[in-house]
């Protein structure tokens, strides 16, 4: 009997940020007030038993409510992802009171710099010696669409990838000159600038999937593991 094998699924195409213009919120808010004023005039006419008052009341209320429902506020370094029935429409980065169709689902996302402190990890350096290492990484969201739609939880993704990059980095270098033949090899202890740049480059490659950019990366702790610290 012939057996069939399912083909591996093709990788999902990345979703990239698309700018989406919005309308200034203050004029739209004033327009909403005007609509409610018209509705109030209609209510006054209905209360006075004047004919056609309902023609002013209902449209004014509906128009005002429609406009108010589309208002939203964005702080500096904040963006709003706009979606329409599950489809990504675009990202608005305009600060202040803004307006977009109430039919759009609006998800706010901070663009500010953030810190992630990798926990102190016990790993082996290039020579197999157990060491303790940790780092602090400064990062920010660069592509809002990738951050939200390409990974499940971009903050958790950053944390996990930071730890993975730190483990890999530690295995690429010896701890100090005593472990480097001829004393010409870059070491974790003696080449902090070069090591930090290598860490930043690896983090950037790992974070690219989530639309995140690395602003800075520095080792914050580096030492031999306690079991060999006294011997070394």
């Amino acid at each position: 009997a012939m057996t069939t094998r399912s083909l591996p699924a093709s990788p999902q195409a990345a979703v990239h940020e698309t700018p989406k213009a919005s309308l200034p919120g203050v004029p739209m808010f004033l327009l909403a007030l005007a609509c409610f004023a018209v509705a109030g005039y209609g209510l006054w006419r209905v209360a006075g038993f004047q004919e056609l008052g309902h023609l002013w009341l209902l449209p004014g209320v509906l128009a005002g409510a429609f406009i108010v429902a589309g208002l939203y506020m964005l702080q500096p370094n904040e963006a709003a992802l706009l979606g329409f029935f599950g489809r990504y429409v675009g990202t608005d980065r305009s600060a202040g009171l803004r307006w977009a169709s109430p039919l759009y689902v609006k998800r706010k996302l901070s663009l500010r710099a953030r810190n992630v402190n990798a926990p102190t990890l016990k790993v082996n350096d290039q020579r197999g010696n157990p060491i303790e290492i940790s780092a602090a990484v400064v990062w920010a969201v660069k592509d809002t669409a990738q951050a939200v739609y390409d990974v499940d939880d971009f903050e958790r993704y950053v944390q996990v990838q930071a730890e993975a990059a730190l483990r890999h980095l530690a295995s690429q270098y010896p701890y100090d000159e005593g472990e480097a033949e001829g004393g010409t090899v870059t070491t974790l202890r003696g080449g902090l600038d070069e090591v930090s740049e290598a860490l930043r480059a690896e983090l950037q490659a790992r974070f690219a999937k989530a639309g995140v950019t690395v602003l800075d990366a520095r080792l914050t702790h580096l030492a031999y593991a306690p079991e060999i610290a006294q011997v070394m």
Side-chain angles (χ1 to χ4, degrees), residues 2-232:
M2 295 180 62
T3 59
T4 59
R5 292 186 303 173
S6 59
L7 296 176
S10 58
Q12 184 178 2
V15 180
H16 293 287
E17 180 176 322
T18 301
K20 178 64 177 179
S22 61
L23 296 178
V26 173
M28 298 301 293
F29 177 73
L30 296 177
L31 181 59
L33 292 181
C35 292
F36 287 131
V38 170
Y41 174 72
L43 180 62
W44 173 76
R45 296 197 63 174
V46 169
F49 301 100
Q50 299 184 30
E51 296 182 0
L52 304 180
H54 62 283
L55 296 180
W56 297 83
L57 174 59
L58 186 59
V61 170
L62 293 177
F66 181 83
I67 295 173
V68 170
L71 293 172
Y72 59 97
M73 182 79 71
L74 288 179
Q75 302 295 331
N77 288 321
E78 190 177 32
L81 287 86
L82 308 180
F84 184 71
F85 291 100
R87 180 175 63 87
Y88 170 64
V89 176
T91 298
D92 179 20
R93 291 176 175 248
S94 305
L97 184 63
R98 310 300 301 175
W99 187 90
S101 171
L103 299 179
Y104 290 160
V105 175
K106 305 169 182 71
R107 175 171 177 175
K108 295 183 180 179
L109 189 65
S110 174
L111 305 176
R112 301 179 181 93
R114 314 187 196 193
N115 289 312
V116 57
N117 295 314
T120 300
L121 304 176
K122 184 178 178 181
V123 296
N124 292 331
D125 70 355
Q126 188 185 57
R127 298 293 181 176
N129 293 319
I131 63 173
E132 292 182 344
I133 189 171
S134 63
V137 181
V138 183
W139 60 278
V141 173
K142 182 179 181 181
D143 190 307
T144 58
Q146 280 190 288
V148 172
Y149 299 116
D150 279 1
V151 294
D152 185 52
D153 183 342
F154 69 91
E155 293 180 323
R156 177 61 179 164
Y157 182 90
V158 165
Q159 179 72 42
V160 172
Q161 292 301 322
E163 293 182 21
L166 192 57
R167 289 182 182 275
H168 181 260
L169 177 85
S171 67
Q172 302 303 303
Y173 298 92
Y175 177 81
D176 59 20
E177 297 294 341
E179 298 296 333
E181 298 179 359
T184 59
V185 177
T186 301
T187 64
L188 293 171
R189 187 175 181 180
L192 286 179
D193 290 339
E194 184 175 340
V195 170
S196 296
E197 179 58 27
L199 176 61
R200 190 203 65 78
E202 180 163 352
L203 287 170
Q204 187 60 68
R206 290 174 177 266
F207 290 175
K209 174 65 177 176
V212 170
T213 185
V214 180
L215 304 178
D216 191 25
R218 297 287 174 179
L219 298 182
T220 57
H221 175 75
L222 182 64
Y224 278 117
E227 59 266 29
I228 67 167
Q230 293 181 352
V231 177
M232 301 303 293

